[in-house]
C-alpha cells in the first residue's frame, strides 16, 4: 500500500478529532489549514510568517483539499472512519462540503486515547501504520529500528556540484556515479550492489528526468510562440489575471544534483530490500523523526552523503507494537562526555581558526555518532544553557552570529530564555574549565 502524502502525522489526529466532533468535509478542510498554520507559526524563526496568507487559504474552498482527502482516505484505510465517497479534485470539493463522516468503534477508541494520552495514542497510530503500510515497516527495518534489522543505519553517498570542478551535467553525473562506487568499495553503507548496477540506475533516472524537463520547456516555448502568433493576428483573447502560462523551472546545476540524489536514494533503498520512491522516503523520515524512531543528516562527518539511522526500536505491529527509544539521562550523559571531542574535531574541520563551530554540524556529528535524535541533542544544550547540569569540566558559549547559516534541511538551535523568549543560536564554542583555572 502506497505511503499517504501526509507531511505531518499530526494531520491524522486533526482529521480524526474533527470527524469525532461531527464536522463536515469543509470544516475538516479548515481544521487542516488551521493545523498547517500552527506548524508554520511554530517553525517561523525570522519573522516571515504572514497570518493573512492563511486567512486566504481558509476562505478558498479548493485549498488543502488534497491533504484533506488523503488523510480521510488514510483513516478509512486504517478502519477508523466508515467508507465514503470523497472529492476527486479540488474543483469538485464544493459538492462534498456538507458531507459528514462517521467514526468506527476502533476510531472512537483511538480518538479517546490520543485525547487523554497523546504519546500512547501516537504509539498506537504507528503500530497501525506499520500494519497498513509495508513500506513504513521496511523503512524502519532498513535504518535499524526493527528487531530483524541487519544494520543500524543506511548511508546514501552524494556529491555536491562544485562549479570549478564540474563544468557540465555529464561531467557531474559521471563524478557522482564514481563517488557512489568508491563509497560502495569502502563498505559500511548498510547496503551493497554491483558498480554496473549503480551506474545504470543513476544514469537512467537522471537521463529520463532531464528529458522530461526539456520536453516541458519545449512545450512551453511552443505555447508561447502560438500565443505570440495569435496576438499578432489579433485573434488572441485577453488572459485573465494570474492565468498566464508560467515558465517551467530551469535545468540548473542544483536541479541536476537533486535528480542524482533522488536516483541514489531510490537505488539504495531498493538494494537494501525496500524499494520506494524519493517522496515516500522523505515522508517516512519525517514520520520516524517525529516519533523518535530515526534521524537523518546530510552533514555528519565523512564523505558527502545522506545518512539515516535508528534512534529507537519498535517491535511488532498493530495494537501490540512496543517501543524502545534512545532518550533520557544515560543518553544525554553519554553525549556530554563525547561533546568536547566532537567540538574539537568540528573546529579543526572548519579551519576558520576562531574556536567556534556551527551548532548544526556539531549536532549532526553528535547525533550520528551517538545514534540519537536532534531533540535529544537540543535538550542537552538547553539544559547546559540554563545551568541545569552540574559538574561539567567545560562550559559552552552559544552565539547567534549568522555568518554560518543553518541549512534548510535542518533547524537551528532554538533555546528559550528564562523570560520565555526564543533565541536562535548558530555557532558554539567549548571552554575547558581546568585550563581557564591554570591560566589564571
Amino acid at each position: 500500500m502506497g505511503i499517504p502524502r501526509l507531511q505531518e502525522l499530526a494531520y491524522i489526529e486533526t482529521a480524526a478529532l474533527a470527524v469525532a466532533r461531527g464536522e463536515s468535509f469543509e470544516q475538516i478542510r479548515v481544521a487542516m489549514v488551521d493545523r498547517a498554520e500552527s506548524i508554520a507559526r511554530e517553525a517561523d524563526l525570522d519573522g516571515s510568517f504572514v497570518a493573512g496568507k492563511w486567512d486566504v487559504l481558509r476562505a478558498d474552498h479548493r485549498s488543502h483539499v488534497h491533504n484533506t482527502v488523503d488523510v480521510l482516505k488514510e483513516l478509512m484505510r486504517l478502519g477508523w472512519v466508515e467508507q465514503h465517497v470523497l472529492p476527486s479534485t479540488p474543483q469538485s470539493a464544493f459538492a462534498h462540503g456538507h458531507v459528514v463522516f462517521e467514526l468506527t468503534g476502533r476510531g472512537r477508541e483511538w480518538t479517546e486515547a490520543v485525547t487523554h494520552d497523546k504519546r500512547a495514542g501516537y504509539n498506537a497510530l504507528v503500530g497501525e501504520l506499520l500494519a497498513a503500510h509495508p513500506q513504513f515497516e521496511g523503512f524502519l527495518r532498513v535504518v535499524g529500528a526493527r528487531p530483524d534489522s541487519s544494520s543500524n543505519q543506511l548511508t546514501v553517498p552524494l556529491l555536491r556540484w562544485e562549479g570549478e570542478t564540474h563544468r557540465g551535467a555529464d561531467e557531474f553525473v559521471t563524478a557522482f556515479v564514481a563517488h557512489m562506487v568508491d563509497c560502495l568499495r569502502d563498505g559500511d553503507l548498510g547496503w551493497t550492489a554491483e558498480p554496473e548496477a549503480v551506474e545504470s540506475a543513476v544514469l537512467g533516472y537522471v537521463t529520463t528526468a532531464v528529458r522530461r524537463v526539456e520536453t516541458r520547456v519545449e512545450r512551453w516555448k511552443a505555447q508561447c510562440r502560438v500565443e505570440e502568433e495569435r496576438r499578432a493576428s489579433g485573434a488572441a483573447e485577453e488572459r485573465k489575471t494570474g492565468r498566464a502560462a508560467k515558465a517551467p523551472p530551469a535545468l540548473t546545476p542544483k536541479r541536476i544534483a537533486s535528480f542524482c540524489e533522488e536516483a541514489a536514494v531510490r537505488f539504495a533503498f531498493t538494494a537494501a530490500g525496500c524499494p520506494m520512491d524519493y517522496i515516500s522516503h522523505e515522508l517516512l523520515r519525517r514520520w520516524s523523526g517525529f516519533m523518535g524512531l530515526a534521524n537523518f543528516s546530510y552533514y555528519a562527518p565523512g564523505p558527502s552523503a545522506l545518512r539515516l539511522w535508528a534512534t529507537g526500536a519498535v517491535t511488532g505491529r498493530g495494537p501490540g507494537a512496543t517501543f524502545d527509544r534512545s532518550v533520557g539521562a544515560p543518553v544525554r550523559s553519554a553525549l556530554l562526555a563525547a561533546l568536547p571531542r566532537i567540538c574539537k574535531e568540528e573546529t579543526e574541520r572548519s579551519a576558520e581558526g576562531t574556536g567556534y563551530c556551527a551548532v548544526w554540524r556539531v549536532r549532526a556529528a553528535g547525533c550520528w555518532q551517538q545514534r540519537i535524535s536532534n531533540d535529544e541533542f537540543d535538550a542537552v544544550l538547553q539544559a547546559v544553557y540554563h545551568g541545569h547540569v552540574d559538574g561539567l569540566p567545560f562550559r559552552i558559549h552559544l552565539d547567534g552570529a549568522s555568518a554560518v547559516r543553518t541549512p534548510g534541511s535542518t533547524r537551528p538551535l532554538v533555546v528559550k530564555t528564562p523570560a520565555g523568549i526564543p533565541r536562535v543560536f548558530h555557532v558554539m564554542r567549548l571552554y575547558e574549565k581546568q585550563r581557564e583555572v591554570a591560566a589564571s
Side-chain angles (χ1 to χ4, degrees):
M1 192 68 67
I3 300 301
R5 288 342 195 198
L6 299 175
Q7 291 288 334
E8 307 287 342
L9 284 182
Y11 289 152
I12 292 179
E13 177 191 359
T14 298
L17 293 179
V19 172
R21 293 190 296 267
E23 295 183 0
S24 65
F25 179 89
E26 172 59 15
Q27 290 172 314
I28 297 171
R29 183 195 68 80
V30 172
M32 293 286 286
V33 175
D34 290 343
R35 173 70 79 153
E37 178 187 17
S38 176
I39 292 170
R41 190 188 295 273
E42 291 175 4
D44 176 39
L45 300 173
D46 58 7
S48 60
F49 178 85
V50 180
K53 163 192 170 183
W54 298 96
D55 293 334
V56 172
L57 294 177
R58 264 185 288 273
D60 182 356
H61 300 297
R62 297 168 300 178
S63 169
H64 280 61
V65 167
H66 285 306
N67 279 344
T68 307
V69 169
D70 284 346
V71 75
L72 287 170
K73 279 184 179 177
E74 186 62 19
L75 287 170
M76 293 175 191
R77 184 180 294 119
L78 294 174
W80 292 356
V81 169
E82 298 289 356
Q83 295 294 322
H84 201 288
V85 176
L86 295 166
S88 57
T89 65
Q91 290 72 23
S92 65
F94 75 94
H96 298 256
H98 66 287
V99 173
V100 176
F101 304 89
E102 186 176 348
L103 288 176
T104 64
R106 291 176 56 223
R108 282 190 292 274
E109 289 176 6
W110 186 78
T111 54
E112 290 173 5
V114 79
T115 300
H116 293 99
D117 186 341
K118 195 174 291 287
R119 182 183 181 86
Y122 274 91
N123 280 346
L125 170 61
V126 170
E128 296 293 345
L129 290 172
L130 285 171
H133 300 289
Q135 274 191 325
F136 187 22
E137 191 279 334
F139 177 92
L140 293 177
R141 174 174 46 76
V142 164
V143 301
R146 294 289 281 174
D148 60 342
S149 296
S150 58
S151 174
N152 65 357
Q153 57 88 23
L154 180 81
T155 297
V156 184
L158 301 177
L159 192 66
R160 293 182 178 86
W161 186 304
E162 303 291 347
E164 296 179 358
T165 305
H166 308 120
R167 291 169 292 185
D170 291 343
E171 192 170 310
F172 174 77
V173 175
T174 299
F176 189 99
V177 170
H179 174 66
M180 285 192 71
V181 171
D182 287 344
C183 291
L184 261 175
R185 290 190 180 119
D186 292 340
D188 199 26
L189 299 181
W191 58 278
T192 60
E194 294 299 322
E196 295 79 9
V198 174
E199 182 177 11
S200 175
V202 174
L203 289 179
Y205 184 92
V206 174
T207 299
T208 300
V210 168
R211 285 175 180 168
R212 190 179 298 120
V213 171
E214 291 173 341
T215 299
R216 287 174 182 166
V217 170
E218 287 303 316
R219 286 176 179 170
W220 175 76
K221 288 180 178 178
Q223 183 181 352
C224 290
R225 286 194 295 270
V226 169
E227 291 179 355
E228 285 273 339
E229 292 170 1
R230 293 184 66 191
R231 277 194 293 269
S233 65
E237 297 179 2
E238 289 189 12
R239 282 183 172 270
K240 294 181 180 179
T241 304
R243 295 289 299 278
K246 288 180 63 176
L251 199 57
T252 60
K254 183 178 180 180
R255 234 173 145 205
I256 297 292
S258 294
F259 291 150
C260 288
E261 178 181 341
E262 292 171 16
V265 168
R266 286 167 60 102
F267 184 83
F269 272 93
T270 299
C274 181
M276 72 175 63
D277 61 88
Y278 186 80
I279 294 177
S280 292
H281 131 269
E282 281 192 310
L283 293 170
L284 291 178
R285 76 188 191 190
R286 280 182 80 96
W287 293 8
S288 55
F290 176 77
M291 289 303 301
L293 295 171
N295 199 1
F296 78 93
S297 179
Y298 290 94
Y299 306 105
S304 180
L306 165 64
R307 294 175 174 85
L308 305 101
W309 61 93
T311 59
V314 53
T315 302
R317 58 176 65 84
T322 58
F323 297 81
D324 180 22
R325 296 177 174 87
S326 299
V327 296
V331 167
R332 296 177 185 184
S333 296
L335 174 62
L336 283 169
L339 208 51
R341 171 184 55 79
I342 294 170
C343 284
K344 181 175 183 295
E345 292 170 353
E346 290 304 315
T347 300
E348 293 171 350
R349 199 173 284 119
S350 68
E352 292 181 3
T354 63
Y356 284 90
C357 45
V359 173
W360 49 273
R361 286 199 177 277
V362 177
R363 181 200 282 137
C367 290
W368 165 248
Q369 293 172 20
Q370 301 295 313
R371 295 297 196 264
I372 60 175
S373 69
N374 293 340
D375 288 344
E376 284 299 293
F377 178 92
D378 289 2
V380 166
L381 288 200
Q382 290 187 52
V384 173
Y385 176 84
H386 288 295
H388 296 160
V389 182
D390 298 324
L392 289 177
F394 57 83
R395 63 184 180 87
I396 299 177
H397 176 69
L398 300 172
D399 200 288
S402 57
V404 185
R405 270 303 203 191
T406 303
S409 63
T410 187
R411 280 175 58 83
L413 175 68
V414 182
V415 178
K416 285 190 177 181
T417 65
I421 300 172
R423 288 194 62 187
V424 178
F425 296 107
H426 295 287
V427 295
M428 62 184 291
R429 181 173 181 177
L430 258 64
Y431 295 90
E432 294 186 32
K433 291 180 179 178
Q434 294 91 333
R435 292 184 179 179
E436 288 181 351
V437 172
S440 61

